[in-house]
Amino acid sequence: MMLAHLVVLTVLCAVASARQAVVDLGYSQYRGQTLSNGVAQWLGIRYAAPPLGPLRFSAPQDPDEVYGVQDASQQGPLCISIDSYPIPGGASEDCLFLDVYAPAGFRGRSTKLLPVYVFIQGGGFNVNGNPYYNGTGLIQAADMGIVIVTFNYRVGPYGFLSGAEIREGGSLNNGLKDQIQVLEWVQKHIEKFGGDPDHVVIGGDSAGGASITLLLSAYNGRDDGLFHAAAAESQSFAAMYTVDEAQFAYDDLVDRTGCNIAADTLDCLRNLDIETLQSQNIATPLPGALEPPLYFYAPVVDGDLVPDYTYRLFEEGRFIRVPVIFGDVTNEGTVFTPQNLTSITAVNNFLRDQFPAITDSHLARIKDYYLQNVDSAQRYPNATRYWRPASNAYGELRYNCPGIAMSAAYADADAPSWNYHYSVLDPEDEASGDGVYHVVELNAIWGPDNVWYSEDVGSPPPASYYTSNAPIIPVMQGYWTSFIRSFDPNTFRYRGSPRWETWERGHRGDEGHRLFIRTGETRMESVPTDQWERCEYLISIGVELTQ
């Protein structure tokens, strides 16, 4: 008899769990899954209408109503990336989907809503570079006390094609507008998953980190109440064009697709079948450059959503004051810089390809800072003596120094600001020369089993994150989830972790205080004087380089 009661109780609990996993969003209902680890997930939720046909190159629109309960057990397709033809399986132009992870049955245990973490993936605005990350590890590290949202957004020309025709007949910076659409979706719907719309933390890596700075300074720092704190990893400061300056990319695409003979070139582009359009979705050299840049498409200064260069916006105080984290890894530039550079001229050409506005005077100063002692630089397999010095220059120019500038700007505005220097050493990566490479800390924040990678996107976690560097995972997750839960990385930090002090003023002489993160050695440090000197110069020319 007792066994029969247990069977009935088990069935009833399973039915209740299944019912609880169905969420009604008004425009559609989605049935998620309750996993054995105590986390519920809803995958592949449409947050905007398919950006097809007349909506190609347009701002995101609300999704249409769909009747019946939709299955939410599979992620939506990736947004199509540049330089990928034939279109790979699992990618589509119809790609505006999000995933939600939440503690299972939370609303049945308490009426208190949970903090929300919305993660913006990177990929240089040309690829969805960190898709499908699983929120389980972070939720468990947060004592089952947060809700997580991840999503895809349009990249390449689908998200960032610019020019007069786009401005007049379409919409600019649509990849960023997709992100805002997600944040507006969160305000409307996250309560149905147990999340608190009044406690939303945005985070992102690389281009996702750049998105954080762009959202903080959007509309000249207008606060629409869409988020309440922000954490940026390796915030990327690429060169930015104005709409008029970006016209060349539109014209080139029109020429390559044969739309140059059409009376309405934008209408022609919108009516191309996706295979034809994608076959011409390629990177070409920027004006004045020799080779295509690492990332061809990017947000443009449109005078509205992106009103000015990022450096200028923050220098002039045109940004939202919320608690923030900025930070970087030790070797930001290694995975981007060609290993076959054989001369100072080759290094200069590489930098010009990324920053066409860079001058001979700028390059001479960069040579003085980074390339004076290339003969004594440490050598690595398959790389010339110029590689690591050039990668140091590129890494600080695009990532490290912008992070320092952002923390300093927030300290000057008397807003809470924390900065980190991630330097967890992996033996294989140290031997190859990649070192502590760009966004490797994602493996510690999410947990190495929760990051997604494929043959074309992402890279597997370093092996040491399962062995000698496994202890850094709860440390990073403790800081991150504490910030998500309380807007302070210290409140719920992992037991025994050092207190993460704020940046303070962050000027040379005061040095700026950041968290040095390494397995068994995590501590506070000041920015070294020599890095301050280099960064002061690189920050000072940032607007000239259109960053």
Side-chain angles (χ1 to χ4, degrees):
M1 182 65 69
M2 183 176 292
L3 179 60
H5 282 304
L6 287 174
V7 171
V8 171
L9 181 61
T10 300
V11 171
L12 289 175
C13 288
V15 171
S17 178
R19 285 176 180 166
Q20 196 169 36
V22 175
V23 174
D24 189 348
L25 303 177
Y27 62 89
S28 190
Q29 297 180 65
Y30 285 92
R31 185 187 302 279
Q33 294 176 303
T34 299
L35 308 178
S36 60
N37 57 23
V39 174
Q41 61 183 27
W42 293 261
L43 309 178
I45 295 176
R46 187 182 292 280
Y47 70 84
L52 309 174
L55 293 185
R56 183 183 282 171
F57 311 126
S58 295
Q61 304 296 309
D62 290 338
D64 295 330
E65 290 188 11
V66 177
Y67 297 101
V69 177
Q70 309 300 305
D71 175 65
S73 63
Q74 299 291 327
Q75 278 119 347
L78 298 179
C79 296
I80 301 174
S81 63
I82 192 172
D83 288 324
S84 58
Y85 184 79
I87 299 171
S92 171
E93 190 177 7
D94 182 8
C95 62
L96 300 184
F97 298 92
L98 58 78
D99 303 332
V100 179
Y101 299 87
F106 170 79
R107 296 301 300 277
R109 296 199 307 268
S110 169
T111 58
K112 179 177 169 57
L113 297 173
L114 296 176
V116 181
Y117 183 52
V118 180
F119 176 68
I120 307 172
Q121 62 180 303
F125 298 114
N126 286 256
V127 61
N128 287 163
N130 316 105
Y132 305 152
Y133 278 21
N134 190 303
T136 297
L138 277 174
I139 289 175
Q140 292 176 327
D143 299 322
M144 308 301 281
I146 61 176
V147 173
I148 293 177
V149 178
T150 62
F151 63 97
N152 295 332
Y153 59 93
R154 284 174 287 177
V155 291
Y158 309 100
F160 296 100
L161 187 64
S162 300
E165 294 83 355
I166 298 288
R167 177 171 50 201
E168 294 164 12
S171 174
L172 301 164
N173 289 318
N174 290 317
L176 296 178
K177 291 175 181 176
D178 292 343
Q179 298 172 12
I180 293 172
Q181 177 85 358
V182 168
L183 294 174
E184 291 173 343
W185 183 97
V186 166
Q187 289 299 306
K188 294 176 185 175
H189 301 296
I190 205 63
E191 282 190 49
K192 299 160 190 172
F193 301 86
D196 186 352
D198 294 322
H199 189 129
V200 177
V201 177
I202 57 174
D205 69 298
S206 195
S211 299
I212 298 295
T213 64
L214 291 164
L215 292 171
L216 287 166
S217 57
Y219 305 110
N220 284 310
R222 186 182 78 200
D223 189 352
D224 293 332
L226 298 179
F227 58 89
H228 311 96
E233 307 163 53
S234 300
Q235 53 295 300
S236 172
F237 276 36
M240 298 177 70
Y241 285 121
T242 65
V243 178
D244 291 339
E245 290 168 341
Q247 185 70 46
F248 77 94
Y250 179 89
D251 293 342
D252 288 351
L253 184 60
V254 164
D255 288 344
R256 290 197 303 272
T257 57
C259 283
N260 52 355
I261 62 173
D264 186 333
T265 57
L266 180 56
D267 184 65
C268 178
L269 288 177
R270 281 174 163 157
N271 282 290
L272 290 174
D273 67 85
I274 189 59
E275 294 290 337
T276 299
L277 178 57
Q278 183 61 15
S279 70
Q280 300 304 318
N281 181 13
I282 60 175
T284 60
L286 301 175
L290 296 176
E291 297 292 335
L294 292 163
Y295 299 106
F296 183 74
Y297 288 99
V300 294
V301 177
D302 60 13
D304 183 35
L305 171 57
V306 184
D308 209 333
Y309 301 125
T310 304
Y311 266 130
R312 183 178 286 151
L313 288 167
F314 280 85
E315 287 169 1
E316 296 179 357
R318 292 183 276 165
F319 57 88
I320 302 171
R321 272 71 168 169
V322 293
V324 291
I325 290 174
F326 296 103
D328 299 275
V329 302
T330 302
N331 307 113
E332 286 285 1
T334 51
V335 296
F336 300 110
T337 306
Q339 294 186 320
N340 61 353
L341 300 173
T342 57
S343 66
I344 297 294
T345 298
V347 174
N348 290 346
N349 287 338
F350 167 69
L351 293 176
R352 280 197 184 96
D353 292 340
Q354 319 311 318
F355 297 95
I358 203 166
T359 67
D360 290 343
S361 175
H362 298 148
L363 291 169
R365 286 289 295 274
I366 289 171
K367 175 176 177 287
D368 290 342
Y369 282 128
Y370 298 96
L371 297 160
Q372 287 285 33
N373 300 307
V374 291
D375 290 333
S376 59
Q378 185 172 348
R379 300 293 291 274
Y380 293 94
N382 306 313
T384 70
R385 58 196 171 113
Y386 291 92
W387 174 53
R388 279 296 288 266
S391 75
N392 292 338
Y394 179 73
E396 290 197 335
L397 176 60
R398 184 157 181 167
Y399 301 103
N400 301 90
C401 296
I404 287 172
M406 294 298 97
S407 288
Y410 270 86
D412 287 344
D414 294 321
S417 172
W418 292 267
N419 190 286
Y420 70 87
H421 167 199
Y422 189 82
S423 191
V424 174
L425 305 178
D426 175 79
E428 292 183 12
D429 292 328
E430 290 301 306
S432 71
D434 285 341
V436 189
Y437 59 81
H438 183 64
V439 303
V440 68
E441 76 271 36
L442 285 168
N443 296 286
I445 292 172
W446 292 84
D449 290 329
N450 297 308
V451 297
W452 185 91
Y453 64 93
S454 69
E455 187 176 313
D456 301 313
V457 177
S459 58
S464 65
Y465 280 66
Y466 293 98
T467 55
S468 59
N469 281 319
I472 205 62
I473 296 168
V475 173
M476 283 294 281
Q477 290 186 331
Y479 287 126
W480 232 254
T481 57
S482 178
F483 185 72
I484 294 166
R485 296 165 73 183
S486 68
F487 306 145
D488 185 323
N490 297 293
T491 309
F492 302 104
R493 70 184 186 272
Y494 186 66
R495 186 178 64 256
S497 301
R499 182 174 182 81
W500 188 349
E501 303 292 343
T502 53
W503 176 263
E504 303 304 335
R505 300 299 295 177
H507 295 295
R508 192 149 58 103
D510 189 13
E511 306 312 342
H513 308 290
R514 64 189 182 188
L515 186 69
F516 175 84
I517 301 168
R518 180 175 290 172
T519 305
E521 301 178 41
T522 299
R523 64 183 187 276
M524 292 302 300
E525 70 171 10
S526 295
V527 177
T529 301
D530 60 336
Q531 187 177 43
W532 258 122
E533 182 180 353
R534 296 191 300 271
C535 283
E536 281 185 327
Y537 174 69
L538 295 179
I539 293 167
S540 75
I541 65 173
V543 172
E544 296 176 55
L545 300 187
T546 70
Q547 292 176 286

